């Protein structure tokens, strides 16, 4: 059967070489199995007819029985279309075609009873259906009485008559001729335990369901299987890695840590920080190599946790390094760590792209002879020339900007792999973290240091800008500073710069010098200019910083307490949250004002509302995941979502994912090498769990 399903799609009746090419190029379908796992994205109920008088434009696909009363050809050029006047006695509806104007009236004559199927919409206040499917109710064949699967298609597919209906027909041909049942991929004991239907039934029902309950069961079964094998794969890999790679054991908590903790730490750690420190210490003392993801909102005190971890490594005779995504961030870490450690006998060095050669050389020497304890830097750190004498712990800030491969390269720098702590301020929902970074253990700082005032977030329409400026003036009069951020999207770059320039002009008019000073930072400036402009703002010489999103990560100005985001509807949720995190760092009440046009898309409105309602990064990340899907979650493109999910959705199927994770955990803890007979079937299918998975063993 498995072999049968590997056959080329072109030999399936109804396909042929040309359509096979199109299917491959458009949908990545080249075998029978590929087609079978091209699952419907929804179903329509074709047993029910609607009355035109009940139809509204927000309905999904529906069907109506009625008659065409006349045809007309309307418009010119690209707007040219054929319009049919359709009625069922309860009301009227326009049917519209931009193509096929010739053969439609011939096939569907005026006055004949027809079934119209399509998505209703409104154009110029009239209800219409564009490119409907039409059927003769007497000739209604195959499909009909019940639920029909809908497959997504592309323009090119449709142009070649590969509509959803055509795909459904191919699917029917394929399933009808299958020589055998689908081979089961999960053991009977598990199906029984979780009350899942068998694969054969699921595959048939997912494409041709008998009823809603049936496709729901099919969906559950197939989603579970997909997520389960990913989890099983991850957990088994992790298990093997733990056995194979030893980690340096940091036994002692020594002088640097104790001095810092008792004499330098200016405040009490939060409960969350203490909890995470415990987790990290346990990892670093276990003899296994630590791979831990430290999640925490902006300002939750991750850097401090990282610093204390470094001190433990140093106390045990090891060197450490911190990698930051940008030069500014690296510098900021350097500055704050130096001030935390002021007066202690710890050598900290900064290595970034702009560090001069003369300065670099002694740093390299210090790394080689072991006298540099903490190296802070950007990507330059991982250049091959950088050699440590005894690297024990690597902290990676802002995981997203570093690919998995870069993480792996670092590991080559020591005999025994250094412990790795990855920090991220872009919270990843648990469900996603479990899958994307399933090989990492996850710690969460879910508590802000005491005394922080929650940032007040408001939504304001562009038309109210003068009021916003008035508010800003009052705040500036109190001695605060403000950011005003403009979007800069690659596709509309020149227009965005125009917006920025126009905005800058009106800001200068509203906030004229010498009373007000404005800094500008954007991507077209030279790095030195950017730095200088930023430095003015940091030093408090300018009051307002007008910028594009370059300030998203990094800058930490505790006196800046107002963040105004222009065209906020154009930003993604997590980006908005990151930007907002630039304020609220000092003792003053901070504000974030989201400016938008009056008209907003549903999704845009949801994003703005979410921001106004909550400051909780995890909650925001969950909403983001639901709205956009994991492939689009900021940053994950760079590290690459390593899975090609065919049916499950990481945002919407979190419960199934949890079940998959729990099940896999149970199996691996009972039978780590899948040696028990009842688990044999897993061995055969576990590879499916992650075709694109990186083999850590090979890299190190
Ligand atoms: P993150 O790296 O998570 O954005 P930081 O470690 O930079 O957060 O901490 C943000 C600010 O809060 C810093 O000024 C830091 O000194 C301070 N801070 C960290 N932990 C505490 C704490 N437990 N109590 C008070 N202030 C803290
Ligand atoms: Mg930080």
């Amino acid at each position: 059967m498995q072999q049968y399903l590997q056959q080329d799609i072109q030999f399936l009746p109804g396909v042929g070489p040309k359509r096979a090419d199109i299917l491959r190029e458009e949908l990545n379908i080249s075998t029978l199995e590929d087609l079978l796992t091209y699952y419907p994205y929804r179903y329509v109920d074709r047993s029910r007819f609607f009355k035109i008088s009940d139809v509204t434009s927000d309905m999904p696909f529906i069907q109506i029985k009625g008659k065409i009363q006349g045809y007309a050809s309307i418009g010119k050029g690209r707007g040219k279309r054929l319009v049919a006047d359709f009625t069922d006695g309860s009301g009227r509806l326009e049917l519209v075609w931009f193509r096929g104007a010739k053969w439609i009236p011939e096939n569907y004559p005026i006055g004949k009873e027809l079934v119209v199927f399509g998505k209703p919409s409104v154009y110029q206040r009239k209800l219409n259906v564009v490119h409907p499917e039409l059927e003769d109710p007497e000739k209604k064949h195959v499909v009909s009485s019940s639920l029909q699967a809908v497959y997504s298609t592309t323009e090119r597919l449709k142009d070649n008559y590969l509509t959803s209906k055509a795909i459904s027909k191919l699917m029917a041909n394929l399933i009808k001729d299958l020589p055998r049942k689908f081979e089961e991929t999960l053991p009977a004991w598990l199906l029984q335990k979780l009350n899942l239907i068998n694969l054969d039934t699921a595959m048939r029902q997912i494409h041709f369901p008998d009823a809603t309950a049936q496709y729901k069961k099919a969906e559950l079964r197939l989603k579970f299987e997909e997520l389960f094998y990913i989890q099983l794969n991850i957990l088994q890999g992790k298990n093997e890695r733990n056995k194979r790679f030893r980690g340096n054991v940091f036994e002692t908590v020594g002088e640097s840590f104790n001095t810092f903790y008792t004499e330098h730490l200016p405040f009490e750690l939060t409960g969350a920080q203490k909890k995470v420190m415990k987790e990290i210490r346990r990892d670093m003392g276990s003899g296994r190599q630590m791979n831990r993801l430290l999640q925490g909102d902006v300002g939750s005190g991750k850097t401090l946790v990282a610093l204390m971890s470094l001190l433990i490594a140093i106390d045990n005779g090891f060197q450490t390094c911190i990698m930051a995504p940008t030069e500014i961030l690296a510098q900021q870490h350097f500055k704050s760590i130096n001030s935390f450690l002021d007066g202690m006998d710890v050598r900290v060095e900064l290595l970034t792209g702009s560090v001069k050669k003369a300065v670099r050389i002694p740093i390299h020497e210090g790394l080689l002879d072991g006298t540099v304890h903490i190296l802070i830097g950007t990507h330059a750190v991982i250049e091959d020339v950088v050699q440590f004498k005894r690297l024990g712990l690597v902290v990676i800030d802002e995981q997203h900007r570093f690919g998995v491969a870069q993480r792996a390269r670092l590991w080559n720098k020591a005999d025994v792999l250094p412990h790795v702590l990855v920090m991220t301020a872009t919270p990843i929902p648990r469900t996603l973290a479990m899958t994307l970074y399933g090989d990492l253990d996850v710690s969460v700082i879910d508590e802000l240091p005491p005394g922080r005032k929650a940032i007040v977030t408001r939504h304001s329409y562009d038309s109210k800008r003068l009021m916003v400026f008035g508010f800003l003036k009052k705040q500036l009069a109190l001695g605060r500073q403000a950011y005003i951020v403009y979007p800069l999207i690659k596709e509309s770059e020149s227009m965005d710069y125009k917006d920025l320039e126009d905005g800058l002009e009106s800001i200068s008019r509203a906030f004229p010098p010498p009373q007000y000073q404005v800094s500008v930072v954007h991507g077209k400036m030279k790095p030195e200019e950017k730095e200088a402009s930023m430095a003015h703002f940091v030093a408090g010489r300018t009051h307002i910083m007008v910028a594009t999103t370059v300030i998203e990560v990094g800058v930490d100005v505790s006196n800046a307490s107002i963040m105004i985001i222009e065209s906020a509807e154009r930003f993604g949720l997590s980006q908005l949250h990151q930007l907002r995190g630039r304020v609220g760092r000092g003792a003053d009440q901070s504000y974030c004002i989201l400016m938008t046009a009056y008209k907003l898309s549903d999704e845009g409105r949801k994003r703005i509302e979410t921001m106004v309602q909550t400051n909780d990064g995890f909650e925001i990340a969950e909403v983001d995941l639901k709205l956009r899907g994991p492939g689009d979650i900021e940053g994950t493109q760079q590290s690459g979502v390593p899975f090609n999910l065919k049916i499950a959705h990481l945002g919407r199927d979190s419960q199934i994912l949890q079940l998959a994770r729990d099940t896999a955990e149970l199996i691996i803890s009972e039978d780590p090498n899948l040696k028990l007979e009842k688990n044999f079937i897993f061995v055969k299918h576990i590879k499916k769990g992650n075709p694109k998975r990186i083999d850590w063993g090979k890299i190190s």
Side-chain angles (χ1 to χ4, degrees):
M1 183 71 169
Q2 200 42 39
Q3 234 171 351
Y4 180 87
L5 293 178
Q6 294 315 311
Q7 289 179 81
D8 195 322
I9 191 78
Q10 68 165 304
F11 302 117
L12 182 69
V15 181
K18 188 177 165 223
R19 283 172 141 196
D21 280 348
I22 297 169
L23 282 171
R24 182 161 19 79
E25 283 158 25
E26 296 290 302
L27 303 178
N28 216 358
I29 293 176
S30 40
T31 66
L32 298 184
E33 183 172 23
D34 294 340
L35 182 64
L36 279 169
T37 53
Y38 190 66
Y39 298 114
Y41 70 99
R42 57 186 181 78
Y43 300 85
V44 292
D45 186 350
R46 307 233 26 192
S47 61
R48 177 164 179 207
F49 292 93
F50 282 83
K51 275 196 176 145
I52 293 179
S53 57
D54 294 336
V55 172
T56 56
S57 62
D58 54 7
M59 283 182 171
F61 281 66
I62 52 160
Q63 69 184 358
I64 309 163
K65 214 182 271 181
K67 289 173 183 165
I68 289 175
Q69 298 200 306
Y71 282 103
S73 201
I74 298 180
K76 282 204 188 83
R78 291 189 55 187
K80 192 166 168 210
R81 59 202 185 270
L82 176 69
V83 178
D85 181 14
F86 184 81
T87 181
D88 65 353
S90 78
R92 307 170 92 85
L93 181 80
E94 287 189 341
L95 307 179
V96 182
W97 291 269
F98 291 92
R99 292 187 301 264
K102 232 177 96 190
W103 58 270
I104 286 161
E106 288 167 20
N107 280 283
Y108 304 106
I110 292 170
K112 180 162 176 38
E113 172 113 307
L114 291 170
V115 174
V116 164
F117 178 72
K119 164 91 186 76
S121 55
V122 166
Y123 180 68
Q124 291 180 342
R125 301 218 188 146
K126 279 191 219 152
L127 211 52
N128 72 13
V129 176
V130 178
H131 289 186
E133 272 179 39
L134 291 177
E135 257 174 18
D136 180 342
E138 281 150 34
K139 277 198 242 154
K140 269 181 89 174
H141 35 253
V142 241
V143 277
S144 63
S145 61
S146 65
L147 292 167
Q148 190 181 324
V150 182
Y151 301 90
S152 56
T153 58
T154 64
E155 279 307 311
R156 188 167 163 228
L157 286 164
K158 282 185 210 151
D159 288 345
N160 288 277
Y161 305 102
L162 282 163
T163 58
S164 167
K165 214 165 137 189
I167 292 176
S168 191
K169 236 175 228 164
L170 294 180
M171 212 65 87
N173 289 346
L174 206 177
I175 289 183
K176 173 167 61 70
D177 289 343
L178 284 179
R180 236 167 292 159
K181 288 193 164 187
F182 288 90
E183 265 167 57
E184 188 48 66
T185 47
L186 293 172
W189 66 264
L190 188 58
L191 294 181
Q192 202 168 20
K193 184 175 168 199
L194 300 178
N195 201 9
L196 296 171
I197 62 172
N198 68 53
L199 181 63
D200 190 67
T201 311
M203 287 305 287
R204 291 167 203 269
Q205 288 294 325
I206 198 83
H207 294 294
F208 301 99
D210 290 330
T212 308
Q214 257 53 49
Y215 84 69
K216 294 257 191 228
K217 278 185 192 163
E219 215 172 56
L220 174 63
R221 145 80 213 215
L222 295 169
K223 284 179 173 179
F224 174 82
E225 169 173 357
E226 184 166 55
L227 296 171
F228 169 74
Y229 273 112
I230 289 173
Q231 293 305 324
L232 196 65
N233 199 322
I234 288 171
L235 289 174
Q236 209 205 15
K238 187 168 148 187
N239 203 51
E240 251 166 44
R241 204 154 39 82
N242 282 346
K243 266 192 302 190
R244 203 153 69 200
F245 301 123
R246 309 266 327 132
N248 294 304
V249 184
F250 298 168
E251 276 164 337
T252 41
V253 170
E255 202 200 318
S256 329
F257 183 91
N258 286 328
T259 309
F260 175 76
Y261 196 78
T262 52
E263 293 166 30
H264 288 244
L265 191 60
F267 35 67
E268 180 77 11
L269 292 182
T270 63
Q273 282 172 320
K274 283 183 188 158
K275 176 193 73 187
V276 170
M277 271 318 293
K278 248 187 225 148
E279 289 169 347
I280 292 171
R281 279 183 54 187
R282 198 183 51 217
D283 278 3
M284 296 194 306
S286 71
R288 289 189 291 111
Q289 181 221 7
M290 173 172 76
N291 270 293
R292 191 167 278 279
L293 179 68
L294 176 54
Q295 297 199 42
D297 233 326
V298 201
S300 59
K302 295 183 295 294
T303 311
L304 192 67
V305 165
L307 174 59
M308 292 193 295
S309 312
L310 301 181
L311 293 176
I312 293 176
I314 294 164
D315 279 342
N316 284 274
F318 286 89
Q319 294 168 289
T320 62
C321 89
I322 300 184
M323 294 165 66
T326 64
E327 179 136 3
I328 294 173
L329 251 187
Q331 280 165 0
Q332 233 158 42
H333 278 315
F334 183 66
K335 228 169 86 185
S336 73
I337 285 179
N338 265 323
S339 77
F340 267 130
L341 300 181
D342 189 31
M344 282 177 59
D345 194 16
V346 176
R347 183 174 166 198
V348 187
E349 295 287 359
L350 178 70
L351 201 57
T352 62
S354 63
V355 169
K356 301 245 157 42
K357 203 169 169 202
V359 183
R360 248 166 216 267
I361 291 170
I363 297 178
H364 284 291
E365 286 168 2
L367 289 166
L368 265 182
D369 65 21
T371 52
V372 171
H373 299 111
I374 301 176
L375 178 68
I376 299 171
T378 51
H379 301 74
V381 178
I382 54 171
E383 281 171 11
D384 291 335
V385 285
V386 179
Q387 295 289 339
F388 291 82
K389 183 173 182 215
R390 216 178 168 213
L391 180 60
L393 171 62
V394 177
V395 172
I396 305 178
D397 194 2
E398 299 292 343
Q399 147 87 4
H400 285 158
R401 317 247 163 162
F402 283 106
V404 172
Q406 277 163 311
R407 239 201 293 158
R409 260 174 78 188
L410 257 175
W411 293 6
N412 287 331
K413 295 196 179 299
D415 302 332
V416 178
L417 301 178
H419 296 297
V420 177
L421 181 68
V422 178
M423 298 196 288
T424 177
T426 310
I428 305 160
R430 253 182 70 76
T431 52
L432 188 58
M434 241 159 46
T435 307
L436 276 186
Y437 310 114
D439 60 322
L440 300 179
D441 294 307
V442 180
S443 288
V444 179
I445 304 189
D446 49 7
E447 180 188 356
L448 291 180
R452 288 281 164 81
K453 289 202 181 80
I455 301 165
V456 173
T457 303
R458 294 266 184 271
H459 175 201
S460 178
Y461 293 116
D462 292 341
S463 52
K464 299 271 162 59
R465 181 167 286 101
L466 282 183
M467 271 172 64
V468 173
F469 278 177
F471 170 76
L472 181 53
K473 268 191 187 141
K474 281 195 200 127
Q475 290 292 313
L476 296 182
L478 296 172
R480 319 271 192 266
Q481 289 167 283
Y483 299 101
I484 303 181
V485 177
Y486 285 81
L488 181 57
I489 320 281
K490 269 219 182 69
E491 292 83 62
S492 52
E493 202 174 59
S494 54
M495 278 207 1
D496 286 347
Y497 274 117
K498 174 114 185 16
D499 286 351
L500 177 80
E501 275 162 21
D502 292 350
L504 198 56
E505 213 181 285
S506 76
I507 291 162
S508 320
R509 240 180 290 126
F511 299 91
Q515 191 188 352
Y516 299 103
Q517 298 294 330
V518 178
S519 281
V520 185
V521 176
H522 60 71
K524 275 194 181 166
M525 293 164 72
K526 293 206 186 80
E528 310 89 79
E529 292 173 336
K530 260 195 267 186
E531 296 283 327
S533 187
M534 206 92 93
H536 283 308
F537 188 72
V538 173
R541 287 192 291 270
T542 55
H543 307 96
I544 301 175
M545 162 115 99
V546 177
T548 53
T549 40
V550 287
I551 61 156
E552 193 182 333
V553 271
V555 269
D556 191 351
V557 181
S558 60
N559 189 48
S561 62
I562 299 123
M563 167 64 66
I564 297 175
I565 304 177
E566 293 283 349
S567 303
E569 71 271 27
R570 293 179 55 197
F571 290 90
L573 253 181
S574 74
Q575 214 179 5
L576 288 173
H577 183 61
Q578 287 295 308
L579 284 169
R580 179 167 60 183
R582 297 299 106 204
V583 297
R585 313 200 134 220
D588 308 316
Q589 176 62 54
S590 289
Y591 300 90
C592 173
I593 300 168
L594 306 169
M595 307 291 298
T596 73
Y598 191 69
K599 231 184 132 184
L600 288 174
S601 68
D602 289 349
E603 209 193 296
R605 191 167 292 280
K606 178 84 186 148
R607 286 199 296 264
I608 304 291
E609 276 170 6
T610 305
M611 287 293 293
V612 171
Q613 272 161 19
T614 182
N615 271 308
D616 181 338
F618 284 94
E619 215 177 306
I620 288 170
E622 293 278 358
V623 176
D624 200 25
L625 185 58
K626 287 218 172 83
L627 287 178
R628 306 201 300 169
D632 292 336
I633 289 284
E634 226 149 275
T636 50
Q637 293 99 322
Q638 284 106 313
S639 53
V641 178
F643 313 99
N644 223 337
L645 294 177
K646 293 203 146 110
I647 188 161
H649 184 287
L650 291 177
R652 295 185 204 116
D653 297 324
S654 53
Q655 281 180 338
I656 306 178
L657 178 56
Q658 189 66 54
L659 180 67
R661 176 74 167 200
D662 293 345
T663 308
E665 256 167 20
L666 215 68
I667 291 167
I668 291 290
S669 71
E670 186 191 75
D671 182 16
N673 300 313
L674 303 176
K675 286 278 195 302
L676 296 179
E677 196 177 330
K678 67 170 195 170
N679 293 334
F680 277 180
I681 195 166
F682 295 136
V683 180
K684 199 165 152 197
H685 298 286
I686 195 169
K687 291 230 162 51
K688 288 202 297 217
N690 192 348
K692 286 200 255 167
R693 194 168 160 72
I694 292 189
D695 184 346
W696 295 105
K698 254 188 217 147
I699 289 166
S700 7

